[in-house]
Each structure stands twice: as structure tokens, then as C-alpha cells.
Amino acid sequence: MESEDAEVMEDQISQEKMLFEDKDFGDGTDYRIVIKEKFCVAWDKNSLTGESATLYQRIIKKDQKLLRNIFDTAINTYKMRQTVLLYGDAGVGKTTLLRRAMLEWADGNLFEKFAYVFYLSGREISQAKEKSFAQLISKNWPRSEVPIEQILSESRNLLFLIDSFDELDFSFEEPEFALCNDWTQEYPVSILISSLLRKVMLPESFLLVTARSTARKKLMPLLHKPHCVELPGLSENARMDYIQHFFLNDKKWAKGVIDSIRKNPRLFNMCHVCQMCWVVCTCLKQQVEKGGDIAMTCQTTTALFTCYVCSLFSRTDGSSVTLPNETLLRSLCQAAAEGIWTMKHILYKKNLRKHELTRNDISVFLDAKVLHEDTEYENCYTFTHLHVQEFFGALFYLLRENPEKKDYPLKPFESLYLLLESNHSEDPHLEQMKCFLFGLLNKEQVRQLEETFNVTISMDVRGDLLMCLEAIEKDDSYPSQMRLLDLFHCLYETQDNDFITQALSSFQKIAVQVVEEKQLLIYSFCFKHCYSLQSVKLTIKSELREILDIDPTDETCLKDTVARITHCWEDLFSVLHTNESLREMDLYESILDEALMKIINEELSHPKCKLQKLQFGSVCFLNSCQDFSFLAACHTLTHLDLKHTDLEDNGLRSLCTGLKCQQCKLRVLRLEACDVNVNRCQQLSEALERNSSLVFLNLSTNNLTNYGVKSLCKFFGNPNCCLERLSLASCGFTKDVCGILSFALTESRRLTHLCLADNLLGDEGIELLSDALKHPQCTLQSLVLRCGFFTPVGSEFLSTALGINRSLVHLDLGGNRLEDSGIKLLCHVLQQPTCTLEELELTGCLLTSESCLDLASVLVNSPNLWSLDLGNNYLLDAGLHILCDALKNPNCQIQRLGLENCGLTSACCQDLLSLFCTNQSLVQMNLMKNALGYDTIKNLCKVLRCPTCKMKFLALDKREIDRKKIKKFLNDVKINNPELVIRPHCSATESGCWWQYF
């Protein structure tokens, strides 16, 4: 191992040594002079002045530290990173940083390891004609320098900076064979750049690529093992410093502005870009000077940008300003929308022509500083910021002419449905434009725009949006977390209660996570409008301090923020009493503190609360805040689920107090894996003795031991006990308690379902339990003895009991060593007319094909058996052949058969085909984890597609179902036999796993 490490380190040293020593092809002095001249000029043209420039310089210095060691040795490979992706939001300073880096390299202060560094601008490359790569990078190459071809021949000493990947007007869809590795041959520039990015051309060279965060997904597949670095922009403290400096003359204004911006986390996040921070402050300063309401302006991003855009077309000094006419405004908005959709943010001359815009037309937008003309490239225009483009893009959907009157198909960017269907995960570049669109439904924003541009804006788009939302909701009955967050963000922007209520009128189930303050703000606002809501799954992933992320030493700020956050939580949980349709709330994996538990208790105790099912599964209760006092007040609550939650002493006391209360109506209590030990079990049993409503109790995966089970037997063995279902799986008890357990079963008058899985019962324990089954007063209908560690001897005891018992209909014996001999005894009893058993689980019982003759006799002669699971037994094709003959018998009543992992192969194909064609009762079958093969599945599909086939559910392996060749056959089955469901999993039945899924 040491020798391998030594070799790796030697490779690294030799690699870096070559970078320093391979300079016989020139020292690059003249090229560095050219770089200084070019980038100093560009720096002067684009530099900021005043306060913004000072702050921007600080940001640049901070970000330059990222570049110092960006190509350092990767820990896992001991080699220098060859490709780095530097990404960040629009305007965060990527281009500025790279241009400054070129100057620093030219001065010998950065990237010293590289003999030559080349800067390639996405904006410039997009306008280049067909040429060779050598020609592409040799623009302004000094004649006194070594020929560029010689430089490229030593590519391991070269670094290429590809700036603004998102400005490259290429599709990057070229196949591998179309790429090139010859830098002297002329190709379309798109091929050259794609070849460089994919390491086909100059594979030993180093790359530093910048891209907007929204373009990262498109770029990643092109790069070879990239190291990703994010430019974060202004920190939260830096943003507040900037705002305070901006309002330096009035600290009261500064505090008001900071408070207003922070109340809108989305807007505050926008301010991490220096230019956006300036835009927001400038806009709010104007509002303050006019006596406007800055809190209302900051309420949504749309409100602020409406205010900002309108200010660009008004003169504060009273002088006139040129306004675009409606046609011109519509054309610019159309260009903006299409650019957002295609992620093309530059308006070249061809783009202007496409949207019927001329240089004179756009002069009004240049004067208003909506558009910016590039100082380096002719006929090249951009919006002053991406968010400005997104705002005008959203305005397009309000100004566009009626799309229904068009005699040609809508382009993708014109479709409201496609825009609404997009989500942040798949289409992050559309997110803010979509939010602006919804925000522009607000009557106040529309009024401001109409007054500013002297136009009339139709609100027909409101109805169109509602129709699209309704269509999307029908396609997705349980919306994903990502889609909900996107939709709720958009609806929040409207601040229109009536519209939000209409939009959410059909939502019955919602599942969301709260990780950040902005999510809490959105959900607390929107939840109140979901009047049809029946089920909520809410996961709170951060505690209060983490959500706030503020300086704990700032007591005033902390106090105000805590109050704001608490109010949001109160709003969110108020749905428990304001929405009378709400029946279920699941707080799975949430982090709850004392304040939240107090709010939850208050809401659950409200007279109008109608909740029936509350789940605290895997919840973390901070600082021992387990408080279940709502059990005494919430008269509708019937289900409480605490599984995988460590029940503390105070939590157990609170739970027991609630259970003892006469007002408690709890019927189902789940306490799996809740750290209920012997002592706690005794306390719980005492409380349950005074409870008259509980019918289901799950205490599985708790270390109750024999002593804990004894205390429970006193409870459910009482003839007056109402308990009907009890699960004690994996509770650490043994055969020694089975006598007491058996006695309790004979005394109980209500218990119908009992799960004793994964406990060391043994044959002796089974014998004692069998005595209870023989008792005429035993009421058990379902008994689970999975993994009870018994043998054919225990099977004999059970067989005798089944011959006498008249109530049991479901028996699970899976995971026990019954073997063929033990099954023989059971099969004899199952055929008796008096046997009431309907469902039998025999998974993993060490059965072979020899047992199939006995099982086949049961299939034909059993009077009541309709479900049989034989999974994980070594039945083989020979065993299946015997079973199929029985299944085809007209007397067979089996409807559900499990054969998962039974050693079946393609040799059983004919038996299965014959079975599916003949059997009239079998409707569910599990064939997963069997090597059936392609031909067998294909032939099965031919039979399954027939309408006469009775099969309704078939479980097959995912790898088989996902094969391209099989999918077309499965689609054919779906078309011809739509009632048949074929899936790569077998759903557990209610009776089969009631202790898990009840």
C-alpha cells in the first residue's frame, strides 16, 4: 500500500514539475503585456464608481482567495484538478473575477503554475465564424511570441478560462464521433468548444468554466470530473452593512429598510448580489422620500420590482420622459420571455429583428436603463440584470394578444401550461419569471404599471392560470414537495386571497418540508387557503435558532425575529382549527421545541379542531418537550403514532395522564421502537386499564422482556378490556411467558389480532399458545408467529389446534424451520371441512418441491383457503409444475399466490402460460426474484393481454420490467387489459401486515 501511495505522489510531483520546467517554447512576456492592455481597458469601461465600487472591490478580493488554490491536488486522486466549474447567480461577479484573474496572472501573482492562460468569452465566441481552435484563441496574439501552434503542443501547461457558459449560443448535442482533436483544422466554433469541454481536444490542458447556477445542470454532463466551486456573493452581515451604509444619513430609515427586507427572505436572498442590493436600496430610498410604505413594497419581490421598473420611466424632477408604446413594450417583453425560456440573455441584432425591434426602438429602454449596450461588442444588448429581464418576461403573458386567435401553434415560451408545469429542480431558470407572473395578478401592481406605461392590462390571464393549475392538479393527486414549494411561492406573490383559495380548492393532500424561514413564510400563508385539505405531512427539519441564522448577541433583532417566526408557526398550525376538512397530520422526522409543542397543543385543544390522526414518527423533541395533554381535549383524535421516537419519562407521564382521562377518545396507539422498557410498560399498562376507547396497540421493537409482557397480559386479559389488536413483535420475551399469555387469550373477549413475530417462542411456547387456540372462548382471528424459532414439532401442536379452533382465519408461520415434514401435518388439517383458515403465510420455511404434493392437495380441497404465500422456499420448476396442475382444477379457490424467490427459471414458462389461460380464480401473483428471463416474460405478456385473462395484479422484477424490449409488450398488455396491474413490488395486504400498516 505504501509503494502505491509513493507512486501516486511521484506522479503528482512529476506533473507539477512539468508545469514549471516546460517553458522552452517561450516565456510569454509579450503575451502578458497584451493581456494587461486589453483587460485594463475592459476593467475601466465596466468598473463601478462610488460606494458600490468600494464594496465591489472588497468582494473581488474575497473571491480571489477562491482562485489561489482552486487547482490544488484533489485528496482522493493526489492529482491536480484539471476542470473547475465556478458557478453563481447572475451578477454575483464571475466575469469580473475572471477578468481580474487575467490581470493578476499577467503580473505573475496568480496561476503561476501555468505558462499561458487564455480567456474565452461566451459572448464573443457565440458570434465567431468557422475557424480552427488555434485561430480562435490567437486573436491579438503578439507576433514576437512563439507561434500559437507550438504553445498548444504543450497543453499540460495551459489554462483556459471559459467565461459565461450560459452565453454560448450552442446546443452541445453533438455526438462523440463528431468532436475533433485537431486544433489546426477549421470547424464550427460550437464543435471546438464542445471538444475542449469534453476533453477530446487538448485533454491535458486545464479548464476553469464559469456559469450561472441555473445553467449548471446543462453544463455538468459535458465536463470530465469537475470540481465545483460556488461564488456566494454578499454574506448576510455584508448585506446589512451595505444597507446601513446606503442610508448612512438616517439610521432610523436604515433599520426600517433592513427589517422590511428581512421579513421577505426571498428578497433578502436576492440582495446577495451587489447590484441587486443597490437596486433594492435605491427603490426603497425613493419610497421613503415619497412617504411610501416600504413594508408593503418589500412584501413580495413583484411589488418591489414593479416599483423599481416604474421609477425608471418617471422623472423625479418633473421633466418629461419618453415612454414605449404598447406594441413596442409587448415586443420587448416577448424577447425577454423567450430569452428566459431558452437561457439566452443577450439580444444580438438577429434577436432584435426576430422580435421586430430596431436600434431606434430600443433607445427608450436604453435611456431608461432597462437595457444595457455592451461596450466591447457591437450590436449586443442585455437587460441591466436578469431579474429585470424576468420581470418583463412575466409581463409578456399579461400584454400578449389572445393566443386562441392565432392561426399557428404556440411556441413553448408562449404556453402558460408548460410554464406552470416547470419546477425549480428541472427548470430553475423559469422560477423567478413564474413568480413575477403570479405577482402581477395583484391589482395594485397592475394599477402602477397601467399608470406608468399608459396601457390597459387585461386580467384574462387569471382565468387561464386557474384552468392550467386545475389540469396540472388532476395529473398529480399528491403533489411533490418541489412542485408544491414552487406553486406556493407563486401564489404568495399574488397576495390575493380569493385567487389563492380558487387555485388551492382541489388540494386534499399536501407533503412539505420546512428548512428555511422563507419556506415557513410561504406555507404559513398558503395553508390557510387550502379549505379542502384532508391530510398534511409536515416535516420541520431545523430548530428555531438554525432557521433564524442571526447574531444571538443582537437581542433586539433576535426578539423581533423570534416573534415573527412564532407568528408564522401559529398561522401554519391554525389550519388545525380553521380547516374543518383536515383529518390527518403527519410530523414525520420533525424537530420540535417547547414553543412549537405549545402551539400544537393549543390548536389540537381548540373546540373546532376535527383532526382524527396525528403522527409523530421519528420526531426529535428538544429539551424534553414531549407534551400530549391534547389527548384530554381533542375529542375527535382517534389515532396517535409515536413510532421510532424515544419516549422520555415526562413524555410517558403525559401520555399516561391523557389515556386515563375519560375525555380521551384514542382508538389506535403506535409505540414501536419508543424505548418502552419494563418499568415504562408497567406504567403504561396501569394507564390502559383505565382507558375505555383503545382498540389497537403496537409495542413492537421495545425491550419489554417477559416481565413487561406479564404486565400487559393483566391488561388485555381483563374481560372488560376493549383491545382488539395487539402487536408485540421483537419485544425480547421467551417461551417462559407463553403460559400467562395463553391464559390471557382465553380470558379476553375482544382480542382478534395478535402479532408475536421475532420472539424466542420455541416449540414449548407454541405448545402453550396452541392450548389457547383450542379454547372455545378464544376470539383470535389473526395470529402472526413469524420467526418464532420453532420446528416441525411446533407445527404438530398448531395442526392439532387448527383442527379444533373455529375463529382463526389468518396465520403467519414465515421464517420458521417447518420443513416438508412440518407442512405435511398442516396440509392434512387445512383440507378438513371444519378448518376456517383463509390466509396462510409460509415464506422462508425451508420447503422443497417435495412438499408441493401436499400443498397441491390443499389447493384443491381446502374449503376456505384463498391466499397462500410460499415465497423464499426452494420449490423449483418441478414444484411449480405440481402446483399449477392443482391451480387449474375447477375446485381450486386460491385468489392470491406468493412465489417470490422460489428458484423458478424459464423452464416453467409453459406451466405459467397454461395456468394464466385456464385458472378462473387466481387474480394476484408474486413472481419476483425468479430467473424467468426475457422470453418467458414476453410470452406471458401475450397471454396477459387477452381480455379473458383473470389476473388483476402481477409482481415482476424491476430489472425485467424496465428492459426496453419488454416495455413494448407491457404497454400492449396495458392497452388490451387495462385492469391488470404489473409492478416491481407486492403490496402488503391489510390482514397480512396489519401490525405494520393499520
Side-chain angles (χ1 to χ4, degrees), residues 274-287:
C274 186
Q275 185 184 358
M276 273 299 97
C277 205
W278 178 86
V279 165
V280 171
C281 287
T282 301
C283 182
L284 294 180
K285 185 176 182 180
Q286 293 173 354
Q287 285 294 96

Side-chain angles (χ1 to χ4, degrees), residues 866 868 887 892-899 912 915-916 919-926 949-953:
W866 64 269
L868 178 63
L887 289 164
C892 178
Q893 301 181 50
I894 291 292
Q895 298 176 31
R896 183 170 63 211
L897 180 64
L899 293 172
L912 289 174
L915 173 64
F916 290 164
N919 187 279
Q920 297 298 299
S921 62
L922 189 64
V923 293
Q924 297 182 44
M925 195 170 187
N926 183 356
C949 178
K950 302 298 181 181
M951 193 66 62
K952 302 300 179 188
F953 179 89

Side-chain angles (χ1 to χ4, degrees), residues 125 562 596 680 765:
I125 292 171
V562 168
L596 277 179
R680 290 176 178 175

